[in-house]
Amino acid sequence: MATFPPGEAAPARSASADLKVLCDRLLAGPSATRVLEDWSRERGLAPASGLVAHAVAGPDRPASPAMRARLKVPPDALVRYRRVRLACGALVLSEADNWYVPDRLTRDMNRMLETSEVPFGRVVHALAPSRQTLALRLLPGAGRPESVGPDDPLFAIEALLLRQDGLPLCEVAEIYAGAVLGRASS
């Protein structure tokens, strides 16, 4: 994987090729946070700082019975909800809904998720999780990535983040925006 000095972007490729590479990396990577941080550095989007998870205010969204089944928790188990915008500098790369099982995390991890802007993947990194993709959907903007604006949705991913023993830590629903391609709107 090639990297480029801070402030120097990767050589130009087509937006369609970039979109495919990013989707492939997200599907293969153990953490969307790690993939997006690497991607952002390579693209020169914000080389000095990592991703920040800005909380999005709104109503709590309880886990559905299907989510609880995928998370392997009983109906009365606590599942917390966190909605964030993952930003790299001023660019919002994605918006994510995250349902996680606090009993499967350490006290410090739970505190960080409740009080900080640290992305989930970085918070749970010490658990060496893996990611299991449930679905990837290309959205209308993906059909014309060369003309998509930075806030336009490109694709959506639903995934589980699993502990090493296979027990799910969280389920996430992510929508990635045109800003991940590092292009200004046309």
Side-chain angles (χ1 to χ4, degrees), residues 9-63:
R13 286 189 297 212
S14 77
S16 294
D18 286 345
L19 179 60
K20 179 172 181 359
V21 168
L22 178 58
C23 286
D24 289 347
R25 286 187 187 180
L26 287 164
L27 291 174
S31 160
T33 301
R34 179 70 159 285
V35 169
L36 285 177
E37 286 180 332
D38 289 347
W39 180 263
S40 296
R41 274 191 296 280
E42 291 168 19
R43 310 283 304 169
L45 299 178
S49 62
L51 293 178
V52 176
H54 297 292
V56 176
D60 187 40
R61 292 184 53 202

Side-chain angles (χ1 to χ4, degrees), residues 100-112:
Y100 65 97
V101 184
D103 289 346
R104 296 180 185 159
L105 306 177
T106 67
R107 184 177 8 184
D108 287 341
M109 289 175 184
N110 279 300
R111 187 175 67 254
M112 286 181 75

Side-chain angles (χ1 to χ4, degrees), residues 4-158:
F4 301 90
E8 185 178 319
R13 286 189 297 212
S14 77
S16 294
D18 286 345
L19 179 60
K20 179 172 181 359
V21 168
L22 178 58
C23 286
D24 289 347
R25 286 187 187 180
L26 287 164
L27 291 174
S31 160
T33 301
R34 179 70 159 285
V35 169
L36 285 177
E37 286 180 332
D38 289 347
W39 180 263
S40 296
R41 274 191 296 280
E42 291 168 19
R43 310 283 304 169
L45 299 178
S49 62
L51 293 178
V52 176
H54 297 292
V56 176
D60 187 40
R61 292 184 53 202
S64 70
M67 284 179 188
R68 288 181 165 281
R70 287 188 294 270
L71 290 169
K72 299 181 182 175
V73 295
D76 60 340
L78 179 61
V79 175
R80 288 206 175 116
Y81 173 72
R82 183 180 192 225
R83 182 178 183 94
V84 297
R85 286 190 181 102
L86 288 178
C88 190
L91 297 174
V92 175
L93 305 182
S94 70
E95 192 161 308
D97 293 307
N98 186 312
W99 294 266
Y100 65 97
V101 184
D103 289 346
R104 296 180 185 159
L105 306 177
T106 67
R107 184 177 8 184
D108 287 341
M109 289 175 184
N110 279 300
R111 187 175 67 254
M112 286 181 75
L113 289 170
E114 293 168 17
T115 64
S116 78
E117 292 189 325
V118 178
F120 191 89
R122 200 175 321 133
V123 169
V124 302
H125 176 75
L127 299 176
S130 63
R131 189 168 152 107
Q132 176 186 349
T133 302
L134 303 172
L136 182 144
R137 284 186 344 269
L138 295 178
L139 301 174
R144 50 176 177 65
E146 285 77 11
S147 62
V148 73
D151 297 328
D152 295 335
L154 283 176
F155 61 97
I157 294 179
E158 295 172 22

